Amino acid sequence: MVTSTAEGTSQGRGATAPRLWGGLGAFLHRHWYAYAMVIPVVVVVGVIVLIPLLQNIYFSFTNINDSTIANPVLDRPARYEVVGLDNYGNVLSGDPSYGDFYDILVRTLLWTFGSVVFHYLFGLVLAVMLNRTLKGRGLYRVLLILPWAVPAFVSAFAWRYLFNADYGLFNAGLRGIGVADPPTWLGQSNLAMFAVIVVNIWLGVPFTMVALLGGLQSIPNELYEAAEIDGATPWQRFANVTLPGLRSVSATVILLGVIWTFNVFSVIFLITGTNNPNTRILITYAFERFFSGSTRDYAIAATYGVLTLSMLLVFTTIYLRVLRRQGEEAW
Amino acid sequence: MQRSTFRIVVAAGAAIGLAALAGCGGSSTPAESDSGTVVFWDTSGPDETPVFSRIAQDCAQKGGYKVQVEQVPFAQAKNNFKTAAQGGQGPDVLRTDVGWVAELAKLGLLADLSDTDAAKDTGDYNSLAVASTKYDGKTYGVPQVIDTMGLYYNKKLLNAAGVAPPKTYDEIKAASAKLGGDKTIFINPGSYYALPFIYSAGADLVDPATKKITVSSPKAVEGLQAAKGLLDAKAARTSLDSANAYNNIEAAFKAGEVAMIVNGPWAYSGYLKAPSFSDKASLGVTAVPGPTGPGKAPQGGHDYTIRQGTKAKPSSLKFIQCMSSTESQVEVSKSLGLIPTRKTALDNADAKASGGVAAFGPLLDSNTQARPSVPEYSALIDGGGPLAPSYLALLGGTKDAKAAADEAAQAFGPLLPGYTSG
């Protein structure tokens, strides 16, 4: 009904909104079936992602904590109030009592790119090796996928024992070859960051490998044959056939890798706990603020959450734009 | 086309949001009723929990209600309880560290027991233990056990080296020449274990009377430096690997790799199970060392508290009174060597004969200092709290005592509203 009246008055001030609604009506009329099919997804995403996200953004502008939160069970009304940009000011000032933001940011970047670069390198090497026909290929594939099949917490605990400074296997080995004072891997130094990155690389390589292996198998064999006939060396074939053929898979793998690794919480939490400043990344610090302290500081945790999300959004946008400029669609 | 899609998503999201908000509104408070089943979160260690479960089941049988004992690791219990209780879930009864009572009570998560029998019958209890159940003049719990820390030593190793249990830091350094350097004492890098060094120097983390953060005061720094001094003198070792530290220390002491450690009575029954202490007499306990003589350790212990919002309050009340009865406490002391909070239990011959009570009981009078009644105090010394990384940095040598203490003081600031550094 609105549609028909709107169409007549399309000229002049204030006409933009009715016209849009009119367009929407026609649009819905044409595609109602598709939208009906999509509604369950929209509802689920709305309930489990969108609402918590909006709530999180709102909380980052308040002074909410567990003594000001409303509690229907205890008949206590909410007592938190909006404090504007105070939380962002405190966090972004780099004040150590709000987590030394820039230090944590550097560690997060180190953690993310250290992990993703090696995920990709090792994954690529293993995928290329497994892509040829060799004896027992099935067995190798199963063995290489194993780290992924083992629950992450089991692997994390196993690594924690391996890295144990006093009774761990690594230090036992080092003592065995004559190192008198082997390092405290998970202690108060950057070695702890190194150790957790090693574990994360170990955990993440199988996924990259499988994804790249899929990409390799989709490269037509004729290209290699043609290259061989043209007299291309193995390296040339790799650089000019394999790598370009993998580009779209690589783009997705790297994008997902960065986003996931940026937000990996379990590995650090399980190996060095949440209170080692040397392995603090944005997401573990948000957890610390949320769960420790006599009053849990939900507001600062939410602020860290929003900052993390914003950084990932900026990264993703730039990354996709660069890819598009190179003529690739990641998805 | 993309814009209209976006509009639909936003509109749908908003509609769902409103619906969800409307759904949250109408919860009502149920009338006080009793479900007859008490869920009890036991936070004791693996050596202790079988005994507590057994007593709990006995109590349930006698009292005519059901008890469901759930073991929750001590390190996670406070957080789990907070999360659960905020949402009206969780146990009916929690074994609560004395440091948590004020914090949880301040948040309104514990039931006020001031008007019940549990608050009236306190004459028999140790007064320090009773004080731990109170916050802001109200009673929130019943004392379970009281504890302090002492210096555990391996008598066989000390006798073989011909040294007496040390009373001062200098005596530890002297003894280390005969005990094999850093095999003398294993310093626990946990922040709770930093407290004896600070208390023995006559300092504390905070001073509630003047509302000052005192962890960086000269005396406290001196105390922290004493810990580092033992490491520097190669008379002690530590484990900076904080995730593995507690287990490594236990393993080293049980295996006889180190001669001494500082710990509380909760560890007593575990040590006796180790082969090197198969002869009970080779496990010795004395006061923690201090700068000039025996030092002071923090008073600890546990209380039974009831969750605010429980659906089984009358049964829970019966349960915690039964769990802390003289009979139950004697049983706990006999089996585990934990120190009872009731005077009648402490006077019981069976309890007195238990090694743990005999060892730690005397330390409670002269070598124990109560922690200040500040709700935020336990958050300062929690595993996830701000003292832990500073203390580790000191022990690891990345910061000197003053710098580590200053860093801790700064991190305390946001947790202690109204306090100033000084």
Side-chain angles (χ1 to χ4, degrees):
Chain A
M1 290 150 269
V2 183
T3 11
S4 55
T5 48
E7 242 129 55
T9 59
S10 58
Q11 301 300 318
R13 271 149 50 88
T16 352
R19 194 205 277 166
L20 267 178
W21 280 113
L24 189 64
F27 184 76
L28 276 182
H29 187 71
R30 227 175 327 141
H31 296 292
W32 68 270
Y33 185 71
Y35 280 94
M37 292 285 105
V38 152
I39 275 179
V41 177
V42 174
V43 169
V44 170
V45 168
V47 170
I48 68 174
V49 178
L50 209 64
I51 294 171
L53 180 66
L54 294 176
Q55 201 177 29
N56 183 77
I57 294 172
Y58 169 62
F59 284 161
S60 72
F61 295 105
T62 67
N63 61 354
I64 188 167
N65 62 37
D66 68 350
S67 66
T68 56
I69 195 172
N71 193 326
V73 181
L74 310 178
D75 276 332
R76 198 175 60 196
R79 278 178 296 148
Y80 57 90
E81 47 202 37
V82 173
V83 294
L85 290 168
D86 282 8
N87 294 326
Y88 290 93
N90 286 334
V91 168
L92 294 175
S93 69
D95 185 341
S97 40
Y98 293 96
D100 216 341
F101 179 75
Y102 299 100
D103 185 59
I104 298 186
L105 182 62
V106 169
R107 285 178 201 283
T108 310
L109 294 176
L110 200 72
W111 154 262
T112 306
F113 291 101
S115 300
V116 172
V117 165
F118 286 102
H119 282 162
Y120 187 75
L121 282 183
F122 290 143
L124 182 63
V125 169
L126 290 172
V128 170
M129 280 164 64
L130 282 183
N131 194 35
R132 56 185 75 186
T133 39
L134 72 170
K135 228 181 193 174
R137 184 165 73 166
L139 181 69
Y140 290 132
R141 282 190 185 175
V142 169
L143 287 180
L144 284 168
I145 205 81
L146 213 57
W148 204 32
V150 175
F153 78 93
V154 174
S155 311
F157 281 134
W159 279 94
R160 198 171 98 183
Y161 285 119
L162 293 176
F163 279 124
N164 186 326
D166 297 317
Y167 300 109
L169 192 66
F170 292 146
N171 280 0
L174 286 174
R175 283 194 195 94
I177 59 168
V179 180
D181 200 11
T184 306
W185 296 100
L186 304 178
Q188 301 295 301
S189 71
N190 290 326
L191 263 184
M193 195 63 186
F194 171 78
V196 290
I197 290 178
V198 167
V199 178
N200 196 43
I201 291 172
W202 191 81
L203 287 171
V205 163
F207 170 75
T208 322
M209 185 193 74
V210 170
L212 291 176
L213 197 54
L216 284 177
Q217 285 166 350
S218 70
I219 300 174
N221 229 1
E222 292 78 17
L223 291 179
Y224 288 103
E225 285 164 9
E228 221 165 328
I229 291 166
D230 288 344
T233 62
W235 172 252
Q236 282 172 327
R237 269 178 273 156
F238 176 73
N240 297 316
V241 179
T242 310
L243 283 187
L246 281 180
R247 195 181 271 171
S248 63
V249 176
S250 303
T252 312
V253 162
I254 289 173
L255 180 67
L256 288 179
V258 168
I259 294 174
W260 283 344
T261 312
F262 211 83
N263 283 334
V264 163
F265 164 79
S266 55
V267 173
I268 291 177
F269 177 72
L270 293 173
I271 292 181
T272 57
T274 53
N275 203 16
N276 187 336
N278 300 288
T279 55
R280 245 178 216 156
I281 63 171
L282 292 168
I283 208 79
T284 60
Y285 189 70
F287 178 90
E288 268 179 60
R289 289 309 285 227
F290 198 98
F291 284 110
S292 51
S294 70
T295 48
R296 299 168 164 193
D297 204 335
Y298 302 143
I300 295 291
T303 308
Y304 268 88
V306 172
L307 289 171
T308 308
L309 177 69
S310 327
M311 279 185 271
L312 283 176
L313 275 180
V314 170
F315 167 80
T316 310
T317 315
I318 294 174
Y319 185 81
L320 289 180
R321 195 156 290 173
V322 170
L323 284 180
R324 210 163 289 151
R325 197 168 300 156
Q326 292 175 351
E328 291 288 342
E329 287 284 348
W331 302 323
Chain B
M1 194 189 311
Q2 269 183 349
R3 286 180 83 164
S4 28
T5 321
F6 177 68
R7 267 158 181 276
I8 290 174
V9 172
V10 170
I16 294 158
L18 289 173
L21 284 176
C24 285
S27 69
S28 56
T29 34
E32 179 148 319
S33 61
D34 198 331
S35 67
T37 301
V38 178
V39 177
F40 169 45
W41 275 11
D42 183 14
T43 59
S44 61
D47 294 316
E48 301 171 306
T49 195
V51 175
F52 286 118
S53 313
R54 198 181 66 223
I55 297 173
Q57 295 308 342
D58 284 351
C59 280
Q61 216 161 32
K62 279 184 238 155
Y65 46 88
K66 278 187 194 147
V67 170
Q68 196 180 325
V69 181
E70 296 176 3
Q71 209 219 342
V72 181
F74 177 74
Q76 281 130 51
K78 187 174 75 175
N79 256 329
N80 289 359
F81 179 79
K82 275 183 162 187
T83 309
Q86 279 284 3
Q89 309 275 313
D92 301 295
V93 174
L94 174 72
R95 176 182 182 263
T96 314
D97 183 277
V98 293
W100 303 348
V101 174
E103 182 182 338
L104 297 175
K106 191 185 174 196
L107 290 171
L109 301 177
L110 300 181
D112 179 4
L113 306 180
S114 307
D115 299 332
T116 67
D117 293 346
K120 284 167 197 146
D121 147 52
T122 56
D124 189 26
Y125 286 108
N126 177 311
S127 56
L128 283 176
V130 172
S132 78
T133 64
K134 297 203 167 161
Y135 171 68
D136 218 8
K138 291 179 182 156
T139 300
Y140 290 95
V142 174
Q144 181 197 37
V145 292
I146 186 168
D147 63 46
T148 181
M149 289 199 282
L151 181 76
Y152 279 95
Y153 57 93
N154 185 327
K155 275 187 201 162
K156 270 189 233 155
L157 293 179
L158 260 62
N159 287 343
V163 293
K167 292 189 184 66
T168 66
Y169 304 134
D170 288 337
E171 285 180 27
I172 295 181
K173 289 176 192 166
S176 72
K178 293 172 190 161
L179 283 166
D182 73 350
K183 288 181 182 153
T184 309
I185 183 167
F186 207 139
I187 295 180
N188 189 317
S191 37
Y192 191 66
Y193 295 81
L195 294 183
F197 289 107
I198 297 172
Y199 286 9
S200 300
D204 203 337
L205 303 180
V206 294
D207 181 4
T210 57
K211 294 243 164 196
K212 273 195 173 1
I213 296 169
T214 52
V215 65
S216 53
S217 66
K219 273 185 176 174
V221 170
E222 212 174 279
L224 289 167
Q225 181 52 41
K228 182 71 167 91
L230 291 175
L231 292 175
D232 288 344
K234 300 258 185 286
R237 67 166 76 172
T238 188
S239 179
L240 298 170
D241 184 348
S242 52
N244 289 310
Y246 192 85
N247 288 336
N248 288 0
I249 294 166
E250 297 280 293
F253 186 65
K254 283 181 182 172
E257 286 174 29
V258 287
M260 295 180 270
I261 56 165
V262 170
N263 213 344
W266 56 84
Y268 193 87
S269 52
Y271 296 152
L272 288 182
K273 287 185 188 159
S276 51
F277 299 111
S278 54
D279 174 14
K280 241 176 146 177
S282 57
L283 181 64
V285 178
T286 183
V288 293
T292 53
K296 282 187 187 299
Q299 180 232 322
H302 295 274
D303 298 328
Y304 293 108
T305 57
I306 298 177
R307 178 174 62 84
Q308 174 75 330
T310 171
K311 295 213 168 59
K313 197 170 171 189
S315 296
S316 301
L317 205 56
K318 271 196 262 175
F319 174 66
I320 64 175
Q321 283 173 303
C322 173
M323 288 298 280
S324 58
S325 68
T326 307
E327 195 191 336
S328 303
Q329 293 207 352
V330 169
E331 180 62 33
V332 168
S333 302
K334 236 171 35 179
S335 316
L336 300 172
L338 301 179
I339 310 167
T341 50
R342 279 183 183 272
K343 289 168 196 154
T344 47
L346 195 57
D347 288 341
N348 181 289
D350 282 342
K352 263 189 189 160
S354 134
V357 177
F360 282 94
L363 300 181
L364 272 178
D365 300 324
S366 47
N367 301 100
T368 305
Q369 184 174 326
R371 287 182 259 170
S373 170
V374 178
E376 294 84 5
Y377 200 84
S378 84
L380 303 178
I381 55 174
D382 270 348
L387 181 59
S390 302
Y391 189 50
L392 278 164
L394 164 71
L395 296 179
T398 49
K399 289 209 169 74
D400 68 19
K402 179 69 184 144
D406 284 341
E407 183 193 58
Q410 197 178 20
F412 285 6
L415 297 178
L416 291 163
Y419 277 67
T420 55
S421 261

